[in-house]
Amino acid sequence: MVSGKGRAERILVTGGAGFIGSHTVVELLRQGYKVWVMDNLQNSSVESLHRVCHLVGPRLSPNLQFHHGDLCNPADLDRLFNTSSSFDAVIHFAGLKGVGESVVNPLHYYHNNIVGTVNLYQAMAKFNCKKMVFSSSATVYGQPEEVPCVEESKLHAMNPYGRSKLFAEEMGRDIEKAGEEGEWRMIFLRYFNPVGAHESGKIGEDPTGIPNNLMPYIQQVAVGRLPHLNIYGHDYPTNDGTAIRDYIHVMDLAHGHIAALRKLFANDNIGCTAYNLGTGRGTSVLEMVAAFEKASGKKIPIKLCPRRPGDATAVYASTEKAEKELGWKAKYGIEEMCRDQWNWASNNPWGYQGNH
Ligand code: WQD
């Protein structure tokens, strides 16, 4: 996109080598943005960015620069902001995202996610880059009192991961309030359950270790890396007894970030505002397993297990605000999510690390 300055807008993407980050970088480049990615590669692979360059082709790939660095090291941020002269906005993905892991190791999560975000806010203030799209999460709603979740729902994170996302939002609201009118503009995108992969099958989700989340776990069962899927809870008050979530295609999420960026650049006094990025539809675990079996032609062996502590019965989004104010609506359904997730998994059974 060309800014009011008559040049392509320059976007810093933290965590841009990760699952949602890399898919968003493809769309940013395709839309004509110049992109700098900072990633510590703790939970991602730079191979994802090599593939992004392959996907966008030789005309657009020169608009992507990668800087290996860590938000927890302010010197890395200073070096990046100094060398790249100026950024017009930041998309902040970088952060650890395992709910269970965060309960076991809260200090690691608070240091990485909160100190990293404080350092980023400080660098943005220092270098006068005060527009940000932040990768927030539906986990800020905790166990929602009612569904669908609206952005005005009570915020009540229930684990260190969710609290780190909530606090990053709260810090942003306080910083914006303390500034001049229109000085800071921030959009918090609350993702529901990101799944799927780019239609090419070249980039996708590649969690390190045993996956916490449902779809990467199913994916690894389907390619034979794991023996069966444990289904946590089959006595929920739902049609089939398994829990319901709002799964959203990662490319819908990527398009949501482009829509949010456009809103930031177009709207002088947006201040701080949050948008749900979901489909507004709930799918149960068993329904997801059946859809993946249909898309892959693979049988997914299951084991019915007790509920996972902290899991909610049903979480899905109200999407009205994003539709009305961002002009964004999810396009893909469960079939396309499973089709694309299987295409990535079957072509990359060991993710970016290649064959074992
Ligand atoms: C979905 C459903 C599980 C794994 C998480 C986090 C956070 C967020 C979205 C970004 C639940 C069941 C899961 C398994 C299972 N991401 N399940 N067997 O907990 O809704 O949310 O993802 O912010 O990472 O909040 O997602 O995929 O872990 O679980 O039965 O091996 O699948 O019990 O009902 P969740 P999930």
Side-chain angles (χ1 to χ4, degrees):
M1 296 301 284
V2 178
S3 71
K5 300 166 188 160
R7 58 161 172 76
E9 279 140 348
R10 305 152 65 88
I11 313 298
L12 167 60
V13 179
T14 73
F19 173 39
I20 301 163
S22 56
H23 287 77
T24 301
V25 168
V26 169
E27 288 308 297
L28 286 168
L29 293 169
R30 287 184 54 213
Q31 296 292 330
Y33 293 98
K34 283 188 179 296
V35 178
W36 281 255
V37 166
M38 174 185 261
D39 201 307
N40 65 8
L41 302 179
Q42 219 180 63
N43 195 21
S44 56
S45 162
V46 73
E47 174 60 20
S48 67
L49 296 179
H50 293 316
R51 298 196 186 184
V52 165
C53 288
H54 177 78
L55 281 173
V56 301
R59 187 174 64 82
L60 294 176
S61 54
N63 291 338
L64 171 59
Q65 284 192 40
F66 171 64
H67 289 256
H68 187 195
D70 197 322
L71 296 186
C72 291
N73 180 355
D76 287 355
L77 278 163
D78 275 354
R79 191 168 38 253
L80 176 58
F81 274 84
N82 274 316
T83 53
S84 62
S85 74
S86 69
F87 295 119
D88 296 303
V90 174
I91 302 182
H92 179 28
F93 290 106
L96 298 172
K97 63 162 192 170
V99 168
E101 196 180 52
S102 76
V103 172
V104 174
N105 197 346
L107 193 51
H108 182 45
Y109 267 68
Y110 287 132
H111 181 258
N112 189 79
N113 291 6
I114 292 184
V115 171
T117 302
V118 167
N119 291 343
L120 177 63
Y121 279 134
Q122 286 179 321
M124 290 172 72
K126 180 176 173 182
F127 292 93
N128 195 29
C129 167
K130 297 178 177 177
K131 297 184 186 72
M132 181 171 86
V133 175
F134 173 57
S135 164
S136 188
S137 166
T139 41
V140 301
Y141 297 120
Q143 301 252 9
E145 284 161 5
E146 56 181 36
V147 283
C149 301
V150 291
E151 286 83 353
E152 294 69 35
S153 296
K154 186 162 169 284
L155 302 181
H156 175 63
M158 294 176 62
N159 53 68
Y161 160 75
R163 277 189 278 274
S164 75
K165 289 293 184 180
L166 178 52
F167 210 69
E169 287 194 21
E170 297 292 15
M171 291 192 287
R173 282 186 273 270
D174 289 339
I175 291 165
E176 191 274 332
K177 234 180 271 158
E180 301 296 319
E181 174 80 22
E183 180 182 357
W184 288 84
R185 302 179 203 172
M186 299 184 202
I187 288 181
F188 307 131
L189 297 179
R190 293 173 182 165
Y191 309 158
F192 280 69
N193 289 62
V195 297
H198 189 269
E199 60 184 3
S200 64
K202 297 279 185 205
I203 55 175
E205 188 168 13
D206 181 22
T208 45
I210 302 291
N212 293 300
N213 298 136
L214 180 67
M215 281 299 266
Y217 202 105
I218 289 177
Q219 160 182 316
Q220 292 194 13
V221 172
V223 297
R225 287 175 60 178
L226 293 167
H228 63 268
L229 169 72
N230 297 311
I231 292 187
Y232 301 127
H234 49 99
D235 61 347
Y236 284 103
T238 62
N239 285 345
D240 60 22
T242 62
I244 289 169
R245 294 291 182 274
D246 185 337
Y247 298 95
I248 177 168
H249 198 296
V250 64
M251 290 315 295
D252 275 327
L253 276 186
H255 299 137
H257 287 75
I258 301 294
L261 213 45
R262 289 196 174 126
K263 179 87 175 173
L264 275 189
F265 286 125
N267 193 310
D268 292 348
N269 50 7
I270 190 171
C272 268
T273 190
Y275 294 99
N276 289 337
L277 293 192
T279 65
R281 292 184 302 277
T283 303
S284 75
V285 175
L286 281 173
E287 286 167 343
M288 206 55 170
V289 171
F292 195 90
E293 287 182 330
K294 188 167 170 221
S296 64
K298 296 283 184 183
K299 180 73 186 133
I300 304 293
I302 62 170
K303 192 165 161 245
L304 298 178
C305 303
R307 296 184 184 188
R308 192 171 61 172
D311 272 355
T313 301
V315 185
Y316 52 92
S318 160
T319 60
E320 278 168 36
K321 188 179 175 189
E323 287 175 41
K324 193 161 135 263
E325 297 183 18
L326 296 182
W328 171 89
K329 184 174 170 55
K331 287 188 298 190
Y332 301 109
I334 295 295
E335 295 69 25
E336 291 97 339
M337 293 177 212
C338 292
R339 175 199 66 195
D340 294 341
Q341 185 113 23
W342 174 241
N343 187 31
W344 152 254
S346 54
N347 286 293
N348 304 273
W350 291 94
Y352 293 115
Q353 307 315 320
N355 296 317
H356 280 232

